[in-house]
Amino acid sequence: MAGYTNGLNGDGGSVLFTNVRILDATGEQPYSGEVLVQGNRIKQITRGSSRFSQPMTSSGATVIDGMGATLMPGMIDAHLHLSWNNAPGIDPIQMMELEEHMLVTMEMAKLVLDAGFTAGRGAAAAKPRLDVVAKRFINEGRFPGPRYLAAGPEITTVGGLGDAAPSHIPHEGLNLGIVVSGPEEVRRVVRTLIKYGVDSIKLNLSGEEITGMGAEETPMAEEEVAMAASEARCRNRVLSAHARSSGSVMQCIRHGIQNIYHASFANEEALDALEAARDRHIVAPGMAWLINTARHAEQWGIKPGSEVSMLYERELEMCIDTMKKMHRRGIRICIGGDYGFAWTPQGTNARDLQIFVEMLGFSPMEAILAATKYGGEIMNMENELGMIKEGYLADLLLVDGDPLSDVRILQNRDRLLAIMKDGKFHKAPRASEARRRLTA
Ligand SMILES: [Zn+2]
């Protein structure tokens, strides 16, 4: 029988966090109190210091004395690629043999959860069923990993991002995406991916500098996008898009594509349209990819100052400007940085919060909401995930220190004293850090 448990409450029994500062991610300032978890949900929240009083009675609960540590929701990455294998480029991701690739995907899932990310939305998988199988094995408790929504490979146009096959070997298997031309091909691919079990359909609606198609190009035809949208919708699947160009952001709005990734070049017309439809869309810029490709990939052949690096510097500058405008317009922006390349390794995802604070002018609270509350929304679980509220799923982090005074502490695994997902500890607090005892 497979399965992993981690000592404390492996049976999914009750856990009482006492003496904690509760950062509930509703936007309210933290308050001291207690949180009782029963099964996989938050059963009860009590306000007020319990240090000098009797903790709320909970017969048989495991009591975690947080000794003033911060209890916050687990972080959520809006743009995960668990099958991106930390390789130096797109080709070594795609060319990895399937058997190794499945195992590596599970390794990546653990790295992400170890970093305090208890959920994430798959933004694309390198092979059709990697995400679907990863999600199933995680959900069944057979492998550690974040709560996950499965994507399939990106659907792309001939010559678009993800079409890497050379002219003399025009073979589908050489591509990271599934290459389509015309609405009927789109229809077949969407239906096929849904048959395989994906939760969302991802379209590559713009280019990507590193692949040779400019970020400001918008290659997919209107009727192709419309077909993908209608086929996904009739099976209740959510749509996501790689959409850097302004034209591609407009396509997302016209066709109701909920999750807009990147959006760096959205112009005033696109911003107006997005603001008007802000209840229906969520943006995740994926900034770590821009920053690290421009500045921190020399070891892998992308020298700062080189042509490619300068293209990413230019996009980064546009992206910062666009995201600041979106933020002012009240458009929801999530963290999630396209992690999974050698220069954006999985597990460093919390760096996004620092980027939002330092580059976009988010307050630490706003950055935390972008990593929690809005994450619950991009998971389409807004009524049960991303905040500490009674009845919500118990995905929690016990953090040594105050992330509101410095969001960078969330990048330090040693400061994550405990990681709970679905009411069970992935990382249990050490006895020396948080006293535990069993109540009678
Ligand atoms: Zn991506």
Side-chain angles (χ1 to χ4, degrees), residues 400-419:
D400 174 20
D402 179 12
L404 288 175
S405 64
D406 184 359
V407 293
R408 291 176 305 176
I409 66 176
L410 295 169
Q411 296 171 48
N412 183 346
R413 284 191 207 179
D414 294 336
R415 305 290 288 271
L416 304 179
L417 304 175
I419 301 170

Side-chain angles (χ1 to χ4, degrees), residues 190 194 201 227-239:
V190 172
I194 291 173
I201 296 294
M227 177 64 87
S230 70
E231 287 296 326
R233 205 157 288 130
C234 75
R235 298 292 308 278
N236 290 316
R237 296 311 195 277
V238 167
L239 290 129

Side-chain angles (χ1 to χ4, degrees), residues 264-265 287 290-291 294-295 309-325 359-360:
S264 313
F265 294 97
M287 293 180 67
L290 299 178
I291 296 164
R295 299 176 185 176
S309 138
M310 293 312 289
L311 288 167
Y312 280 99
E313 284 289 353
R314 175 175 167 269
E315 179 167 351
L316 176 61
E317 195 180 318
M318 285 299 300
C319 179
I320 291 169
D321 188 50
T322 305
M323 291 307 134
K324 284 180 172 172
K325 288 178 182 164
M359 289 186 157
L360 302 184

